[in-house]
């Protein structure tokens, strides 16, 4: 097999198994065959996640739960919630999702807490940036907006700043892997519209110094967004689980918005996140209305136009069916498993934990190539996330990872993998690297990764060769 053939097989594993549709089939394909093909792909792709061998990505993991959500989805799959007069149910469901999320994040401590539903964490973060840009333009006349966040903040923020023409200052970390508050203080200018910090961040699961940054935001009358996209729906239950973490929600003075993803630890289907604000007068800056359009009077709360009511119904169903006790029970298992993982890693002298983790444990090494460790873990069936600056791995604990004995087996495999890595001759390149959301070949540098990813993105939208 040629290299090109092998490469295409790896990114299009079905190209030799199922028909590739390069144009519409002349006549419709039999439904039973369609469902059979889809279910074959889904079963094969779920196998690893169902066994709990994957870091993050799959948050609930029970197919019974997903079946229930799909039933809820089905009722509104075809609906367009832009047409509120036809689908007033979405007003009930969205409002209640926001209210339940605000309850978890102690919205009662804020001035006038409110929120919106978005399509996911990235949209929540980008919308928050847009809101602060508009707020600062209208309230303070700022036309060259600047924002500040730590290097560990999710890069959807950089994407948003790029889209909306905002200048970003990336703050370094202190030794505990948290945002450097003094550095952030030193970068605030009259053009600063907002700062952002994470609870917890994607690379290390670390909670930034939210209270200190809140005080800074108050002092300068700027926005302060807490990215709880990943951590919100798990850290929100820490107190109930007896896990001690610093406050990160609306009880912290100066916090003006928080994002929390219902499609992660909220256990909904993919396609929803909640963006909460401390005040309604902030939220209004993300609204778009057009009164003079020939197509009619148009109003939309955020970036999306037409939206399906299906994911909204499924998200609401997930929240109401689990209830607080359901969330707390799952969270307890996750915190306990992460604590075992942290303790186990601490017993492996070659490894070093980054920061003070509670649900996601990141580890690096000064002694072995961490991607060689990752390769050996992959050979044993595990799928970790690779990080860089420094090279590290993280294991984001989700419900499927909490099954009895699983983390113990991981720790055995991890210790073995460190031994394997120690035996690899210097100069031998690892197979894995630090590609977010992908496990691929090791990057030579940031530019090489960017070029590689652009090529991969083209491939995502082309049919198999
Ligand atoms: C901390 C954090 N923020 C934002 C996001 C972006 O979320 P999404 O992938 O839903 O757009 C993620 C995704 O993992 C995340 O970990």
């Amino acid at each position: 097999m040629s290299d090109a053939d092998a490469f295409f097989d790896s990114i299009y594993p079905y190209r030799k198994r199922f028909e590739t549709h390069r144009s519409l089939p002349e006549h419709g394909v039999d439904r039973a065959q369609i469902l059979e093909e889809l279910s074959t792909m889904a079963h094969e792709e779920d196998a690893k996640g169902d066994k709990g061998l994957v870091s993050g990505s799959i948050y609930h993991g029970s197919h019974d739960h997903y079946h229930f959500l799909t039933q809820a989805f089905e009722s509104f799959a075809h609906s367009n919630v832009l047409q509120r007069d036809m689908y007033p149910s979405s007003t009930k469901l969205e409002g209640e999702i926001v209210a339940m999320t605000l309850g978890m994040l102690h919205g009662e401590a804020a001035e006038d807490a409110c929120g919106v539903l978005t399509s996911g964490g990235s949209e929540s973060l980008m919308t928050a940036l847009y809101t602060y840009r508009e707020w600062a333009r209208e309230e303070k006349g700022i036309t060259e907006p600047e924002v500040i966040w730590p290097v560990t903040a999710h890069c959807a923020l950089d994407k948003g700043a790029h889209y909306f023409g905002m200048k970003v200052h990336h703050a370094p970390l202190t030794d505990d892997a948290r945002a450097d508050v003094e550095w952030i203080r030193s970068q605030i200018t009259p053009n600063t519209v907002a700062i952002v910090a994470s609870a917890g961040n994607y690379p290390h699961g670390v909670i930034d110094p939210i209270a200190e940054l809140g005080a800074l935001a108050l002092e300068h009358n700027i926005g302060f967004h807490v990215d709880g996209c990943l951590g919100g729906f798990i850290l929100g239950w820490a107190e109930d689980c007896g896990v001690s973490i610093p406050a990160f929600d609306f009880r912290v003075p100066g916090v003006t918005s928080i994002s929390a993803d219902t499609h992660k630890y909220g256990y909904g289907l993919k396609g929803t996140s909640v963006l909460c604000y401390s005040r309604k007068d902030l939220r209004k800056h993300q609204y778009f209305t057009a009164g003079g359009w020939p197509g009619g009077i148009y109003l939309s709360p955020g970036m999306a136009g037409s939206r399906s009511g299906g994911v909204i119904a499924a998200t609401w169903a997930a929240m109401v069916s689990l209830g607080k006790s359901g969330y707390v029970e799952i969270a307890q298992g996750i915190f306990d498993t992460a604590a075992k993982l942290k303790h186990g890693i601490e017993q492996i002298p070659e490894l070093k934990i980054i920061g003070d983790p509670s649900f996601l444990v990141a580890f690096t090494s000064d002694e072995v190539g961490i991607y060689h460790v990752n390769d050996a873990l992959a050979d044993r069936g595990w799928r970790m996330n690779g990080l860089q600056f420094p090279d590290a791995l993280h294991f984001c604990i989700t419900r499927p990872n909490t099954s009895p004995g699983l983390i113990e087996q991981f720790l055995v495999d991890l210790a073995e993998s460190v031994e394997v890595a120690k035996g690899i001759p210097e100069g031998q390149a690892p197979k894995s690297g630090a590609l977010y959301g992908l496990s691929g070949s090791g990057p030579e540098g940031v530019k090489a990764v960017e070029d590689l990813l652009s090529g991969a993105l083209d491939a995502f939208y082309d049919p198999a060769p």
Side-chain angles (χ1 to χ4, degrees), residues 59 119-123 125 154 156 198 200-202 227-231 261 263-264 436:
Y59 291 86
S119 64
S122 299
E123 189 185 326
L125 293 178
H154 196 275
S198 315
N201 64 40
Y202 169 82
D227 177 7
C229 286
L230 180 61
D261 288 0
H263 73 187
K264 294 191 176 79
Y436 178 96

Side-chain angles (χ1 to χ4, degrees), residues 39 49 84 114 122 142-143 224 317-318 334 450 459:
S39 122
R84 291 278 161 159
C114 61
S122 299
I142 294 176
T143 53
F224 178 27
I334 289 172
E450 287 170 359

Side-chain angles (χ1 to χ4, degrees), residues 23-40:
S23 58
L24 264 182
E26 195 54 37
H27 301 288
V29 176
D30 179 52
R31 284 183 181 178
Q33 184 191 329
I34 293 171
L35 293 178
E36 173 63 28
E37 276 183 29
L38 291 173
S39 122
T40 304

